[in-house]
Amino acid sequence: MAIRNIFVVGAGLMGSGIAQNAVTSGYNVTINDQRQEALDRARAGIEKALNREVEKGRMTAEDRDAALARLSIDATLESAKDADLVIEAIVEELGAKQAVFTALEDICPAHTIFASNTSSISLTALAAATRRPSQVVGMHFFSPVPRMRLCEIIFGLLTTQDVLDAVKEVAEKMGKTIIQADDKPGFIVNRALLPMLNEACVIVGSYIGSVEEVDNGMKLGCNHPMGPLELADMIGLDILLNVMTTMEKEIGAKYAPSLLLRKLVVSGFLGRKSGAGFYTYENGKKTGVNPVLAHFQSVAR
């Protein structure tokens, strides 16, 4: 099946990144969100990003204008009536994601594929909320979507090969390298990554090492391009907590989120997007360690 029109649900960091990557790859994209301000912010952010690409010589002005002409925003679900592919990119909660697919069931054409950007939730469980379980699939992108080369494709119990082939073609056209995972909690990447991020939180919370020492240790000792705590800030500490909580329920105590992570989230320190997590940020750039963690810094030393 040829996919031309993509309907992205969720105008946050992931949804807008997916939309930007898709319009620059030739797809017609509508971003949906219940909050008009989120839609306006997403469109402005995409325009800014593409203008920057033109300024740096990585895109022509003509290609930018053509990409923006393929982008629409809609605070209702009505535009989904033309969708060949829906990509859901909202909060990491099973009920919320199921509600999106249920609401779209009678709006989308029969051929529409329902994809979720979930990083931990069962695709089989999501499919159970629809009348098209064979057309439900996972497309797990990584942030920032336009720059990250990976797309993790996850198949549920009833996902057909035709659907897998169709979304793989989309991901490849978006410039992604594909890895394919069975529908097990955390799939491939987060199954391996999240224990490391969580343990980095535990190390700081246990006064073993400071925020900067943990990150420098992993960057310089393991050749990671970014430390685990800075990476957690980029992902979003609330998202990390939600995914860890889901995986703890599915797999067990190995994935229990650290106390420090829970404290930061409940205090509103969500990472880069909120201006502070393990680090503080100004205009998206890291400015230093979060002052509320100064006690952990000094005791660790």
Side-chain angles (χ1 to χ4, degrees):
M1 182 188 79
I3 291 175
R4 297 184 179 86
N5 301 316
I6 299 177
F7 189 79
V8 177
V9 182
L13 181 65
M14 291 303 298
S16 59
I18 292 167
Q20 177 183 326
N21 200 162
V23 293
T24 57
S25 301
Y27 292 103
N28 301 314
V29 178
T30 298
I31 310 177
N32 163 262
D33 199 289
Q34 294 179 341
R35 303 159 299 158
Q36 186 63 45
E37 64 273 17
L39 291 171
D40 294 338
R41 185 167 56 248
R43 184 175 185 95
I46 292 171
E47 290 179 357
K48 182 178 179 180
L50 297 190
N51 286 336
R52 190 163 53 244
E53 292 295 292
V54 173
E55 291 168 4
K56 293 185 176 181
R58 294 195 289 251
M59 172 183 277
T60 66
E62 291 76 16
D63 286 343
R64 173 201 59 201
D65 294 344
L68 291 174
R70 291 190 289 269
L71 177 67
S72 303
I73 59 175
D74 191 346
T76 75
L77 296 176
E78 291 309 308
S79 298
K81 69 182 186 302
D82 299 318
D84 301 310
L85 170 65
V86 169
I87 303 178
E88 168 275 311
I90 65 167
V91 63
E92 193 73 357
E93 293 177 0
L94 174 61
K97 292 178 184 292
Q98 286 180 323
V100 167
F101 286 166
T102 299
L104 289 169
E105 191 71 73
D106 293 325
I107 299 173
C108 294
H111 71 269
T112 305
I113 294 170
F114 286 178
S116 174
N117 183 54
T118 180
S119 55
S120 64
I121 290 173
S122 167
L123 275 304
T124 303
L126 289 176
T130 78
R131 298 192 298 273
R132 58 184 85 196
S134 64
Q135 293 163 233
V136 176
V137 66
M139 294 185 76
H140 180 204
F141 294 90
F142 294 79
S143 183
V145 179
R147 295 209 305 269
M148 296 296 280
R149 295 175 54 197
L150 185 67
C151 183
E152 192 174 29
I153 303 293
I154 306 100
F155 54 92
L157 181 64
L158 300 176
T159 308
T160 64
Q161 189 61 49
D162 287 348
V163 167
L164 284 173
D165 290 343
V167 296
K168 285 179 183 178
E169 183 177 337
V170 171
E172 288 172 348
K173 189 173 178 181
M174 291 172 67
K176 306 306 181 190
T177 297
I178 295 166
I179 58 174
Q180 184 170 298
D182 194 3
D183 188 18
K184 304 289 196 309
F187 318 130
I188 295 172
V189 176
N190 280 337
R191 190 79 176 238
L193 175 65
L194 295 193
M196 182 188 74
L197 300 187
N198 193 56
E199 195 63 24
C201 301
V202 171
I203 289 170
V204 173
S206 300
Y207 306 104
I208 298 170
S210 70
V211 171
E212 291 172 309
E213 286 161 343
V214 169
D215 275 355
N216 285 336
M218 296 307 291
K219 286 190 291 186
L220 302 178
C222 299
N223 204 29
H224 291 190
M226 181 182 293
L229 300 174
E230 186 177 1
L231 177 58
D233 274 357
M234 187 178 76
I235 293 169
L237 301 189
D238 54 334
I239 294 173
L240 178 59
L241 177 60
N242 284 341
V243 176
M244 293 293 300
T245 301
T246 297
M247 292 180 68
E248 180 188 15
K249 291 177 182 176
E250 294 287 341
I251 303 174
K254 175 181 177 181
Y255 290 90
S258 80
L259 177 59
L260 179 57
L261 175 62
R262 287 185 273 130
K263 283 182 175 180
L264 287 169
V265 172
V266 78
S267 299
F269 297 116
L270 308 183
R272 188 181 297 182
K273 64 186 175 184
S274 70
F278 284 97
Y279 296 92
T280 55
Y281 300 87
E282 189 172 334
N283 297 322
K285 294 186 178 180
K286 186 172 70 173
T287 56
V289 174
N290 189 337
V292 303
L293 300 176
H295 177 61
F296 293 98
Q297 297 281 99
S298 60
V299 174
R301 286 188 172 87

